[in-house]
Amino acid sequence: MPVTLPQIAVIVGSNRRESINRKLARALIKLGAGKFDAQLVRIDDLPMFNQDLEGNLPAEVVRYKGELARADGVLIVTPEHDRSIPAVLKNAIDWGARPYGKNSWADKPAFVTGTSPGAIGSALAQQHLRSVMTGLGMILIGGEAYITFKSNLIDDQGNVGDDGTRTFLQGFVDRFAALVAALTPQAERAAA
Ligand SMILES: Cc1cc2nc3c(=O)[nH]c(=O)nc-3n(C[C@H](O)[C@H](O)[C@H](O)COP(=O)(O)O)c2cc1C
């Protein structure tokens, strides 16, 4: 049987064109090369959550929930908005959680991180997010990856520019990859 790498859905909690969190997400995907395959999942086209739409899910929501269903694990990289989860990400979380009985998050391993220029590097958004995702049944890797954005965080090649930060983040990526691999053995991988 050919080896299938775990499939990771990557969600960025920003709809900004030049998002620093999207840049960080792409750099993290590079750190996971050879350990998992990762795809960015679009969330900025999802309609505002409305329970009235649950009976006949919009096409964007069907596509989005399909991408989550096929993923063996989820990487969430988010900024902090007003000391909490950005609205675009919270909307995506709510669609993932619904309709009742169709929770896309349950039992999925996840790594939550994010960056902001502020000194606490999106810590409060991440803490709120961890609380929400744990409530929805996700299995989060432990530790705290609050990244203060500096101009050299991501270099011109899209890699983590600073050696210390790269080593720090590689440790999280490796632990995340190991958890996903342990929870989704080769034969059971969603993409297989
Ligand atoms: C509505 C709004 C609220 C913000 N609130 C915070 C905040 O609470 N803490 C923080 O560190 N930065 C905050 N910022 C600054 C963001 O960290 C900054 O815009 C960052 O670039 C966002 O990440 P992105 O480039 O991935 O969108 C806020 C920005 C906006 C637009």
Side-chain angles (χ1 to χ4, degrees):
M1 187 167 54
V3 174
T4 310
L5 290 176
Q7 302 296 304
I8 303 300
V10 182
I11 298 179
V12 175
S14 171
N15 50 8
R16 201 167 77 83
R17 251 191 316 274
E18 293 300 319
S19 165
I20 56 178
N21 283 277
R22 195 172 307 106
K23 289 177 184 161
L24 176 59
R26 291 191 195 282
L28 293 171
I29 290 171
K30 289 184 174 204
L31 293 181
K35 301 187 173 93
F36 51 69
D37 285 332
Q39 285 82 36
L40 284 164
V41 173
R42 189 170 179 193
I43 61 171
D44 66 344
D45 62 341
L46 300 174
M48 179 63 71
F49 181 83
N50 182 338
Q51 213 175 346
D52 292 341
L53 301 177
E54 283 188 333
N56 185 14
L57 290 179
E60 294 83 359
V61 176
V62 174
R63 185 219 77 232
Y64 166 71
K65 287 182 74 74
E67 288 175 321
L68 293 181
R70 285 190 292 280
D72 299 307
V74 181
L75 165 63
I76 306 180
V77 187
T78 187
E80 178 171 288
H81 277 185
D82 302 321
R83 298 291 182 228
S84 190
I85 303 166
V88 70
L89 176 58
K90 184 59 167 61
N91 187 50
I93 292 168
D94 291 345
W95 276 122
R98 299 293 300 187
Y100 183 77
K102 304 273 186 201
N103 176 5
S104 307
W105 309 111
D107 300 325
K108 294 260 192 219
F111 169 30
V112 166
T113 186
T115 187
S116 104
I120 58 172
S122 78
L124 290 176
Q126 289 189 47
Q127 281 303 316
H128 287 172
L129 185 57
R130 294 181 77 87
S131 168
V132 170
M133 300 323 280
T134 303
L136 289 170
M138 284 201 122
I139 304 164
L140 303 179
I141 62 162
E144 299 172 298
Y146 311 141
I147 310 300
T148 301
F149 184 81
K150 302 260 169 53
S151 58
N152 68 340
L153 179 66
I154 309 295
D155 68 19
D156 292 343
Q157 283 72 49
N159 298 307
V160 179
D162 173 72
D163 287 348
T165 308
R166 187 169 55 253
T167 303
F168 176 75
L169 286 169
Q170 185 74 66
F172 279 89
V173 168
D174 290 352
R175 284 199 294 119
F176 175 50
L179 177 67
V180 175
L183 291 177
T184 56
Q186 166 76 13
E188 295 172 21
R189 285 198 187 131

